[in-house]
Amino acid sequence: MTVRVGVIGAGWIGHEHIRRLTDVVTGAAVTAVSDIDAARAEEAAARVGARVYGTGAELIAADEVDAVLVTSWGPTHAEHVLNAIAAGKPVFCEKPLATTAEDCLRIVEAEMAHGRRLVQVGFMRRYDQGYRQMKEVIASGRIGEPLVVHCAHRNPTVPESYTSEMAALDTAVHEVDVLRWLLDDEIVSAQVVTPRATSKRFAHLKDPQIMLFETAKGVRIDLEVFVNCQYGYDIQCEAVGEQGLVRLPDPSSVTVRTAGQHSTTVLTDWVGRFVDAFDTEFREWIANLAAGNEPTGPSAWDGYAATVITSATVEALDSGRTVGTDMKPRPAFYGGAV
Amino acid sequence: MTVRVGVIGAGWIGHEHIRRLTDVVTGAAVTAVSDIDAARAEEAAARVGARVYGTGAELIAADEVDAVLVTSWGPTHAEHVLNAIAAGKPVFCEKPLATTAEDCLRIVEAEMAHGRRLVQVGFMRRYDQGYRQMKEVIASGRIGEPLVVHCAHRNPTVPESYTSEMAALDTAVHEVDVLRWLLDDEIVSAQVVTPRATSKRFAHLKDPQIMLFETAKGVRIDLEVFVNCQYGYDIQCEAVGEQGLVRLPDPSSVTVRTAGQHSTTVLTDWVGRFVDAFDTEFREWIANLAAGNEPTGPSAWDGYAATVITSATVEALDSGRTVGTDMKPRPAFYGGAV
Amino acid sequence: MTVRVGVIGAGWIGHEHIRRLTDVVTGAAVTAVSDIDAARAEEAAARVGARVYGTGAELIAADEVDAVLVTSWGPTHAEHVLNAIAAGKPVFCEKPLATTAEDCLRIVEAEMAHGRRLVQVGFMRRYDQGYRQMKEVIASGRIGEPLVVHCAHRNPTVPESYTSEMAALDTAVHEVDVLRWLLDDEIVSAQVVTPRATSKRFAHLKDPQIMLFETAKGVRIDLEVFVNCQYGYDIQCEAVGEQGLVRLPDPSSVTVRTAGQHSTTVLTDWVGRFVDAFDTEFREWIANLAAGNEPTGPSAWDGYAATVITSATVEALDSGRTVGTDMKPRPAFYGGAV
Amino acid sequence: MTVRVGVIGAGWIGHEHIRRLTDVVTGAAVTAVSDIDAARAEEAAARVGARVYGTGAELIAADEVDAVLVTSWGPTHAEHVLNAIAAGKPVFCEKPLATTAEDCLRIVEAEMAHGRRLVQVGFMRRYDQGYRQMKEVIASGRIGEPLVVHCAHRNPTVPESYTSEMAALDTAVHEVDVLRWLLDDEIVSAQVVTPRATSKRFAHLKDPQIMLFETAKGVRIDLEVFVNCQYGYDIQCEAVGEQGLVRLPDPSSVTVRTAGQHSTTVLTDWVGRFVDAFDTEFREWIANLAAGNEPTGPSAWDGYAATVITSATVEALDSGRTVGTDMKPRPAFYGGAV
């Protein structure tokens, strides 16, 4: 049966996911849209024949909504997710799950009280083929127990509105989630060191930043976040284990030889880098719902952990100290894995 | 609107495309199935709620069939395609379009008489991201006019039923089509040289074979077809132009370092290599039909050309001579391109 | 003890080897120089404190000459090599050993009459680390019996004096020698196909050319010779065997990411590509002589084979036919290998 | 003229350099050897026809010694180098220049008092082609001002005698020197974080270690030192600048495809990795001496800096804190560069 999805938030990412659920993923239909900007909601709804609702709460309550997709402004996420849980409806929430650890915990508690997983958080990297291959290699034991992970997250440029805190909250949050999942291990502390800043940035911004994480098992992670690197959108990840290493591939590209150079293309845009991961993420989410199963993607607990860890990272940046994450014990409800 | 597809032939590839049209491609539904093996048709139809027809002709005539997909045994293709044209219905035919040049020409003439393109032939490589990038680079002029193309088509093994002629008819046919399209040029002659045969083959088979093609513009192509190469399914293509070259990428794979080796994975199975191309091929076919447009993929003329060229290649193999393709002039109906 | 070398021919390559024997290779000294241009001989000799001789014959006869290096004009090679053999002195001859098969055979016979190897021919690729690694892999059986070899030999440009015949005689001759050695197999026929010519050449020249060789064991080799490829000096070689393949590496280069490109450098100059091979070639030649051993590099027989095969290739180019090499049987004197 | 070298210390590395100066580098002769083990000195000397001296001091004083090579035990280096300076003879000292900063400064002062550079320290990476290409790229401005450098130094295994301090003093010291030179910048602080230790080590050892350095200009460097990585000897270096990055190449290796894997070889032995760098290092040292020039390689000041920085790194490891290097101001005598 077709899963009827109501979408709260019709901005850029909402628009992109409405297109995806309509044109790319089978078994889904967007039947309801809401947005604080009514005209934007109308426009998005019209394109796919959906109905417009004045508020997220009304949309969640609507009969023609089987599942909810939250793509509104971050600070509103918690309210919509809690409403969906209260209505007993599955809800996919773009990151962050909530902007405070407290709100994340309220969601976790509400979901546990409901007794069944309803929430999935939009960390799409777990659906990227390269990261999935990495996880397979690590899980196979081929490189031995992981000890160190080296990562880089580089964007060509960011707008003036991008702040130093967003390096953790908006950018590194993807590595935080995918590393917890890759390593099946929890992050327990963060430190940030700040190299000389690039001249090609807005003056208020600390860029690049080197984040250092430690996990419960003692794995050390270094992550270079560099959001004005100019040359491309470039995601690197290398896990070093007791007897080998595994490295994330670069996106496939033809090679060209001209004028004394052998070259491949570096993407300059993140949409191209993770478009397949987004498609797979929603394909699997819909397939689970259609089959009556709980979602298998990142959970409310993963959303909580990401918020706690990235908040600690911001504190580490501001204080210059190593900051512990002080996370609650993981409830059995969320399974044995991280 | 949903495009209702009737599928003639429910063998392995038919089954695969039914799954694709049902689960992967939006905007399509398989509503009818026929197969010479009635039980196989029933089973395939049941899975997707389609109706079973006793013959291809009945299926083509059915009201609930907007478009026809031919995945039956090669020698039956021509009849089904001609019937679909007679019914004025779009038809997607897996390669070959027909097993003789004469039958291909009958299809071409029928389609021209109809006055509008109805036929698309299943050469999926034109939908592969790597080949599309190659075409972009060549068309951009970045490597200059193409002069030479080096190709390899390697399979790990083939069953005993695979004959020396199939190296051209079933295997090289993919390179023949994609090279005509990449170069926007026609193949005018073929030669085959046969290296010492691998010991890891059935005794009747000439394997590997080196096929040499010449195009109308004078480009020379060498193609190694090696269908018992053991190590993997490996497709290579490098076009050399007046000022540079472009090379098809290998499929993306994590890199692993262990035990003195830095390694990536070579696929051993062609399904994995071209699964995205198949998905894109059908996504674009359905999107064109849904929009009321003619198909934009490989045409009946491309199907004719492939049959003529691969037949000449078989003659070249058998005779040891260079054989001209003796192709009819390209009708204006099929546009200016190859 | 220091090996005292007399150099016949003080042109570019002679000058280069004099520098190499003086500054790079230990255990050697250039003690004598001759050249048809007396001033050039004087200049070369003065730089290293060598004595000038009026003719090659006088130089060969000189007491202070232990070994002879022939780097004069090709048509004079045979005479100097024969004189050196008559004098019982080791002689290193730059390719070609002689410009006709007959002269090569005279040298072979003279050397056999002398009873001990004196001659080494300057095919330096056997000393390149990449080719040596390839030979190790092939000899190890890791890829199984070789069946097909794909090669490319590309130069950025050639001067107007370069003729279509030189593609075989001067350029492909390096692949001819190194492939005989890599495969431990003899080349028995040649065919040449000529793609459309690049517009970036002098009008008299057929460029590129595709040469097709067959070996005694039935291995098929295709070699693209393209001497105006513009983009770089690029040597490619891939041997495909019954269960795998091995490919020559590109020269080591840093990778750079800038402006949406990931790139490495392609050399534009052959000197850089094979400088280490030249150094190793002379280091091993001198070490063998200093130890009183016969030379272990390419023999007079290899020089004969290269001349026969490249002459057949020129005939194949001119005639459009496949031409057999019609080589004499290999004398036991030159060992069991090719 | 031949440079006559006296070698103090005939252990493994001394033996290796005696061979290099005798067989590989032109223009040099080893004429004198001393070692605390007289038999070892005799054996080394006999092979090359050198004379044996009872002490380093006697060797330095000998008439037939133009230049001194110190390859003895680290704690003895300072004495021999100071003696050589007192004798006014050029001296090449394997790292470390001295085991304490104080001894290094005594050497620096003695050399400055002498008024001319005599000392070169054996940091061979500056002579590696890959690092030299990196330096060229950085100096060209192609990647913009450097901001971050990521490095890894991995050995397959180390013996039980290798201590946690040696990770900085013996291993990271090579990166310390080459990074100062690559960046033309000074290291001003060090921090060490210790991941969970590999189980494949001797129990007393902290392995791997992540060292974090900051330079005077604010560049941040992370260096993974992992000396029991099992899989190979692997040196990685990537410098990220304001508009691009440059990465050290892996050593050149044939690629092999067999059994579903595309692979290249990872060296397992450091000698193979840097053999060309060692050869070039000594070739340039001898060429400078033969020409009557001062040495151009790593200076006594570089030796001092390396000792100060690696000592601070050990302190950082032991204390868990970030430790400043507290280096003296660079004397004008040692030029404007780092």
Side-chain angles (χ1 to χ4, degrees):
Chain A
M1 296 302 9
T2 295
V3 177
R4 297 169 304 168
V5 180
V7 179
I8 303 175
W12 185 85
I13 188 73
H15 192 271
E16 185 67 11
H17 288 340
I18 290 170
R19 180 197 62 74
R20 179 167 284 113
L21 287 169
T22 306
D23 297 345
V24 179
V25 176
T26 56
V30 174
T31 53
V33 176
S34 77
D35 194 280
I36 50 165
D37 176 341
R40 194 160 68 171
E42 287 292 350
E43 186 192 330
R47 212 183 62 82
V48 296
R51 187 163 162 193
V52 172
Y53 287 84
T55 65
E58 290 168 307
L59 178 145
I60 289 166
D63 277 350
E64 77 261 30
V65 168
D66 299 323
V68 179
L69 169 57
V70 178
T71 50
S72 54
W73 189 45
T76 69
H77 286 187
E79 178 192 342
H80 299 311
V81 172
L82 286 166
N83 282 345
I85 294 171
K89 294 190 178 179
V91 55
F92 183 111
C93 181
E94 265 305 326
K95 55 103 190 163
L97 175 61
T99 52
T100 66
E102 293 67 34
D103 276 353
C104 290
L105 281 179
R106 289 171 57 210
I107 292 168
V108 160
E109 282 154 21
E111 188 177 46
M112 288 173 66
H114 176 77
R116 194 167 190 275
R117 275 197 59 187
L118 290 173
V119 179
Q120 179 163 328
V121 184
F123 293 120
M124 79 290 190
R125 291 209 189 165
R126 299 193 189 193
Y127 299 91
D128 175 71
Q129 277 310 307
Y131 279 114
R132 289 189 159 190
Q133 288 180 30
M134 280 189 80
K135 187 160 174 69
E136 256 181 56
V137 169
I138 293 171
S140 74
R142 211 171 140 201
I143 64 162
E145 284 296 309
L147 305 173
V148 179
V149 187
H150 306 293
C151 303
H153 185 139
R154 304 188 188 115
N155 293 56
T157 54
V158 289
E160 190 161 8
S161 55
Y162 187 100
T163 64
S164 295
E165 288 70 28
M166 290 167 74
L169 299 177
D170 279 39
T171 300
V173 67
H174 287 291
E175 267 81 11
V176 163
D177 180 70
V178 87
L179 287 167
R180 294 174 64 251
W181 170 80
L182 268 183
L183 299 172
D184 197 9
D185 196 358
E186 194 54 89
I187 291 173
V188 297
S189 77
Q191 178 191 355
V192 182
V193 296
T194 48
R196 67 191 296 193
T198 176
S199 63
K200 300 177 189 300
R201 77 195 198 285
F202 290 100
H204 62 78
L205 187 61
K206 287 175 182 158
D207 184 43
Q209 299 178 24
I210 311 285
M211 300 174 185
L212 301 165
F213 300 108
E214 185 172 14
T215 74
K217 293 183 189 162
V219 175
R220 292 287 189 160
I221 298 158
D222 49 82
L223 164 59
E224 174 202 323
V225 174
F226 186 11
V227 294
N228 291 286
C229 82
Q230 309 297 315
Y231 76 84
Y233 180 74
D234 194 4
I235 302 299
Q236 299 291 326
C237 185
E238 177 182 273
V240 183
E242 293 199 335
Q243 62 197 35
L245 64 81
V246 57
R247 195 180 293 163
L248 191 69
D250 287 318
S252 180
S253 156
V254 289
T255 51
V256 174
R257 297 193 172 199
T258 49
Q261 296 284 308
H262 170 98
S263 58
T264 55
T265 298
V266 177
L267 295 175
T268 48
D269 147 36
W270 66 272
V271 178
R273 177 63 181 86
F274 287 113
V275 63
D276 288 344
F278 277 121
D279 290 353
T280 303
E281 176 186 47
F282 277 95
R283 196 170 280 130
E284 295 193 9
W285 182 58
I286 292 293
N288 275 322
L289 298 193
N293 295 332
E294 297 186 43
T296 52
S299 70
W301 185 259
D302 295 318
Y304 163 71
T307 294
V308 170
I309 296 162
T310 54
S311 300
T313 309
V314 170
E315 192 186 330
L317 171 68
D318 292 343
S319 68
R321 289 183 302 101
T322 299
V323 176
T325 51
D326 193 27
M327 209 175 289
K328 303 287 179 206
R330 181 185 183 87
F333 180 85
Y334 290 103
V338 167
Chain B
M1 297 301 12
T2 294
V3 176
R4 298 169 304 169
V5 179
V7 179
I8 303 175
W12 184 84
I13 188 74
H15 193 270
E16 185 67 13
H17 288 340
I18 290 170
R19 181 196 61 75
R20 179 168 283 115
L21 287 168
T22 306
D23 296 344
V24 179
V25 176
T26 56
V30 174
T31 53
V33 175
S34 77
D35 194 280
I36 49 164
D37 176 340
R40 195 160 68 172
E42 287 292 350
E43 187 192 329
R47 213 183 62 83
V48 297
R51 188 164 160 194
V52 172
Y53 288 83
T55 66
E58 289 168 308
L59 178 146
I60 290 167
D63 277 350
E64 76 261 30
V65 168
D66 300 323
V68 179
L69 169 56
V70 179
T71 49
S72 54
W73 189 45
T76 69
H77 287 186
E79 178 192 343
H80 299 311
V81 172
L82 287 166
N83 282 345
I85 294 172
K89 294 190 177 178
V91 55
F92 183 110
C93 182
E94 265 304 326
K95 55 103 187 162
L97 175 61
T99 51
T100 66
E102 292 67 33
D103 276 353
C104 290
L105 282 178
R106 288 172 57 211
I107 292 168
V108 162
E109 280 154 21
E111 188 178 45
M112 288 173 63
H114 176 78
R116 195 168 190 274
R117 275 196 59 188
L118 290 173
V119 179
Q120 178 162 330
V121 184
F123 293 120
M124 78 291 191
R125 291 210 189 164
R126 299 192 188 193
Y127 298 90
D128 175 72
Q129 278 309 307
Y131 279 114
R132 288 188 160 190
Q133 288 180 30
M134 280 190 80
K135 187 161 174 66
E136 256 181 57
V137 169
I138 293 171
S140 74
R142 210 170 142 202
I143 65 162
E145 284 296 310
L147 305 174
V148 179
V149 187
H150 305 293
C151 303
H153 186 139
R154 302 187 189 116
N155 293 57
T157 54
V158 288
E160 190 161 7
S161 55
Y162 188 100
T163 64
S164 295
E165 288 70 28
M166 290 168 74
L169 300 177
D170 279 38
T171 300
V173 66
H174 287 291
E175 268 81 12
V176 162
D177 180 71
V178 86
L179 288 167
R180 294 174 64 250
W181 170 79
L182 268 183
L183 299 172
D184 197 9
D185 195 359
E186 194 53 89
I187 291 173
V188 297
S189 77
Q191 178 190 355
V192 181
V193 296
T194 48
R196 67 191 295 193
T198 176
S199 63
K200 299 177 190 300
R201 77 194 197 286
F202 290 100
H204 62 77
L205 187 61
K206 287 174 182 158
D207 184 44
Q209 299 177 24
I210 311 286
M211 299 173 185
L212 302 165
F213 300 107
E214 185 171 14
T215 74
K217 293 183 188 162
V219 175
R220 293 285 189 161
I221 298 158
D222 49 84
L223 164 60
E224 174 202 322
V225 173
F226 185 11
V227 294
N228 290 287
C229 82
Q230 309 297 316
Y231 75 83
Y233 180 74
D234 194 3
I235 303 298
Q236 299 290 327
C237 185
E238 177 182 273
V240 183
E242 292 199 335
Q243 62 196 35
L245 65 82
V246 57
R247 195 180 294 164
L248 191 68
D250 285 319
S252 180
S253 156
V254 290
T255 52
V256 174
R257 297 193 173 200
T258 50
Q261 296 285 307
H262 170 98
S263 58
T264 55
T265 298
V266 176
L267 296 176
T268 48
D269 147 36
W270 67 272
V271 178
R273 176 64 182 85
F274 287 113
V275 64
D276 288 344
F278 276 120
D279 289 353
T280 303
E281 176 186 47
F282 278 94
R283 198 170 278 129
E284 296 193 9
W285 182 59
I286 291 294
N288 275 322
L289 298 192
N293 296 331
E294 297 186 44
T296 53
S299 69
W301 185 259
D302 295 318
Y304 163 70
T307 294
V308 169
I309 295 162
T310 53
S311 299
T313 309
V314 170
E315 192 185 331
L317 172 68
D318 292 342
S319 68
R321 289 184 302 101
T322 299
V323 175
T325 52
D326 193 26
M327 210 175 288
K328 302 287 178 204
R330 181 186 183 86
F333 180 85
Y334 290 103
V338 167
Chain C
M1 295 303 9
T2 294
V3 177
R4 297 169 304 168
V5 180
V7 180
I8 303 175
W12 185 84
I13 187 74
H15 192 269
E16 186 66 12
H17 288 340
I18 291 170
R19 180 196 62 75
R20 179 167 284 114
L21 287 169
T22 307
D23 296 345
V24 179
V25 176
T26 55
V30 175
T31 52
V33 176
S34 75
D35 195 280
I36 49 164
D37 176 341
R40 195 160 67 173
E42 287 291 350
E43 187 192 329
R47 213 183 61 83
V48 297
R51 186 164 161 192
V52 173
Y53 288 83
T55 67
E58 289 168 308
L59 178 145
I60 290 166
D63 276 350
E64 76 261 31
V65 168
D66 300 322
V68 179
L69 168 57
V70 179
T71 50
S72 54
W73 188 44
T76 68
H77 287 186
E79 177 192 342
H80 299 310
V81 172
L82 286 166
N83 282 344
I85 294 172
K89 294 191 177 180
V91 55
F92 184 109
C93 182
E94 265 305 326
K95 56 103 187 163
L97 175 61
T99 52
T100 66
E102 291 67 33
D103 276 353
C104 290
L105 282 178
R106 288 172 57 212
I107 292 168
V108 161
E109 281 154 21
E111 187 177 44
M112 289 172 65
H114 176 77
R116 195 167 191 273
R117 274 196 61 189
L118 290 173
V119 179
Q120 178 163 330
V121 183
F123 292 120
M124 78 292 191
R125 291 209 189 165
R126 301 192 187 193
Y127 299 90
D128 176 72
Q129 278 309 309
Y131 279 113
R132 288 188 160 189
Q133 288 181 29
M134 281 189 81
K135 187 159 174 69
E136 256 181 55
V137 169
I138 293 171
S140 74
R142 211 170 142 201
I143 65 163
E145 284 297 309
L147 306 173
V148 179
V149 187
H150 306 293
C151 304
H153 185 139
R154 303 185 189 117
N155 293 56
T157 54
V158 287
E160 192 163 6
S161 55
Y162 188 101
T163 64
S164 295
E165 288 69 28
M166 290 167 75
L169 300 177
D170 278 38
T171 300
V173 66
H174 287 291
E175 268 82 10
V176 162
D177 180 70
V178 86
L179 288 166
R180 295 173 63 252
W181 171 78
L182 268 183
L183 299 171
D184 197 8
D185 196 357
E186 193 54 86
I187 291 174
V188 297
S189 77
Q191 179 191 355
V192 182
V193 297
T194 49
R196 68 192 295 193
T198 176
S199 64
K200 300 177 189 300
R201 78 195 196 286
F202 290 99
H204 62 77
L205 187 61
K206 289 176 182 158
D207 184 43
Q209 300 178 23
I210 311 287
M211 299 173 186
L212 302 164
F213 300 107
E214 185 171 14
T215 72
K217 293 183 189 162
V219 175
R220 292 286 190 161
I221 298 157
D222 50 81
L223 165 60
E224 174 202 323
V225 173
F226 185 10
V227 294
N228 290 286
C229 82
Q230 308 297 314
Y231 74 84
Y233 180 74
D234 195 2
I235 302 298
Q236 300 290 326
C237 184
E238 177 183 272
V240 183
E242 293 199 335
Q243 62 196 34
L245 65 81
V246 59
R247 195 180 294 162
L248 191 69
D250 286 319
S252 180
S253 157
V254 290
T255 53
V256 174
R257 297 193 172 199
T258 50
Q261 296 285 307
H262 170 97
S263 58
T264 54
T265 298
V266 177
L267 295 176
T268 48
D269 146 36
W270 67 271
V271 178
R273 176 65 181 85
F274 287 113
V275 64
D276 288 345
F278 276 120
D279 289 354
T280 303
E281 176 186 47
F282 277 94
R283 198 169 278 130
E284 296 193 9
W285 182 59
I286 291 293
N288 274 322
L289 298 194
N293 296 331
E294 297 185 42
T296 54
S299 69
W301 185 259
D302 295 319
Y304 162 71
T307 294
V308 169
I309 295 163
T310 53
S311 300
T313 309
V314 170
E315 191 186 331
L317 171 69
D318 292 343
S319 68
R321 290 183 300 100
T322 299
V323 176
T325 51
D326 192 26
M327 208 175 289
K328 301 288 178 204
R330 181 186 183 85
F333 180 85
Y334 290 103
V338 168
Chain D
M1 295 306 7
T2 294
V3 176
R4 297 169 304 168
V5 180
V7 180
I8 303 175
W12 185 84
I13 187 74
H15 192 269
E16 186 66 12
H17 289 339
I18 291 171
R19 180 197 61 76
R20 179 168 284 114
L21 287 168
T22 307
D23 296 345
V24 179
V25 176
T26 55
V30 174
T31 52
V33 176
S34 75
D35 194 280
I36 49 165
D37 177 340
R40 193 160 69 172
E42 287 292 349
E43 186 192 329
R47 212 183 62 83
V48 297
R51 187 166 161 191
V52 173
Y53 287 83
T55 67
E58 289 168 308
L59 178 145
I60 290 166
D63 277 349
E64 76 261 30
V65 169
D66 300 321
V68 179
L69 168 57
V70 179
T71 50
S72 53
W73 188 45
T76 69
H77 287 186
E79 177 192 343
H80 298 310
V81 172
L82 286 166
N83 282 344
I85 294 172
K89 294 190 177 179
V91 54
F92 183 110
C93 181
E94 265 305 325
K95 56 102 187 162
L97 175 61
T99 53
T100 66
E102 292 66 33
D103 276 353
C104 290
L105 282 178
R106 288 172 57 212
I107 292 169
V108 161
E109 280 153 23
E111 187 178 45
M112 288 173 64
H114 176 77
R116 194 165 191 275
R117 274 196 60 189
L118 290 173
V119 179
Q120 178 162 332
V121 184
F123 293 121
M124 78 292 191
R125 291 210 189 164
R126 301 191 187 194
Y127 299 90
D128 176 72
Q129 277 309 308
Y131 280 113
R132 288 189 159 188
Q133 288 181 29
M134 281 190 79
K135 187 159 173 70
E136 256 181 55
V137 169
I138 293 171
S140 74
R142 212 170 140 199
I143 65 162
E145 284 296 309
L147 305 173
V148 179
V149 186
H150 306 294
C151 303
H153 186 138
R154 303 187 189 116
N155 293 57
T157 53
V158 288
E160 190 160 6
S161 55
Y162 188 101
T163 64
S164 295
E165 288 68 29
M166 290 167 75
L169 300 177
D170 278 38
T171 300
V173 67
H174 287 291
E175 268 82 11
V176 163
D177 180 70
V178 86
L179 288 167
R180 295 174 63 252
W181 171 79
L182 267 183
L183 299 171
D184 197 9
D185 195 359
E186 193 53 88
I187 292 173
V188 297
S189 77
Q191 179 191 354
V192 181
V193 297
T194 48
R196 67 190 296 192
T198 176
S199 63
K200 300 177 191 299
R201 77 193 197 286
F202 290 99
H204 62 77
L205 187 61
K206 288 175 182 158
D207 184 43
Q209 300 178 24
I210 311 287
M211 299 173 186
L212 302 164
F213 300 108
E214 185 171 14
T215 74
K217 293 182 188 162
V219 175
R220 292 285 189 161
I221 298 158
D222 50 81
L223 165 60
E224 174 202 323
V225 173
F226 186 9
V227 294
N228 290 287
C229 82
Q230 308 298 315
Y231 74 85
Y233 180 73
D234 194 4
I235 302 299
Q236 299 290 326
C237 185
E238 177 183 273
V240 183
E242 293 199 334
Q243 61 196 35
L245 65 80
V246 59
R247 195 180 294 163
L248 191 68
D250 286 318
S252 181
S253 157
V254 290
T255 52
V256 174
R257 297 193 172 200
T258 50
Q261 296 284 309
H262 170 97
S263 58
T264 53
T265 298
V266 177
L267 295 176
T268 47
D269 147 35
W270 67 272
V271 178
R273 176 66 181 83
F274 288 113
V275 64
D276 288 343
F278 277 119
D279 289 353
T280 304
E281 176 185 47
F282 278 93
R283 198 170 278 130
E284 296 193 8
W285 182 59
I286 292 293
N288 274 322
L289 298 194
N293 296 330
E294 297 185 42
T296 54
S299 69
W301 186 259
D302 295 318
Y304 163 70
T307 294
V308 169
I309 295 163
T310 53
S311 300
T313 309
V314 170
E315 192 186 330
L317 171 69
D318 292 344
S319 68
R321 289 183 302 99
T322 298
V323 176
T325 51
D326 192 27
M327 208 175 289
K328 302 288 179 203
R330 180 187 183 85
F333 180 85
Y334 290 102
V338 167

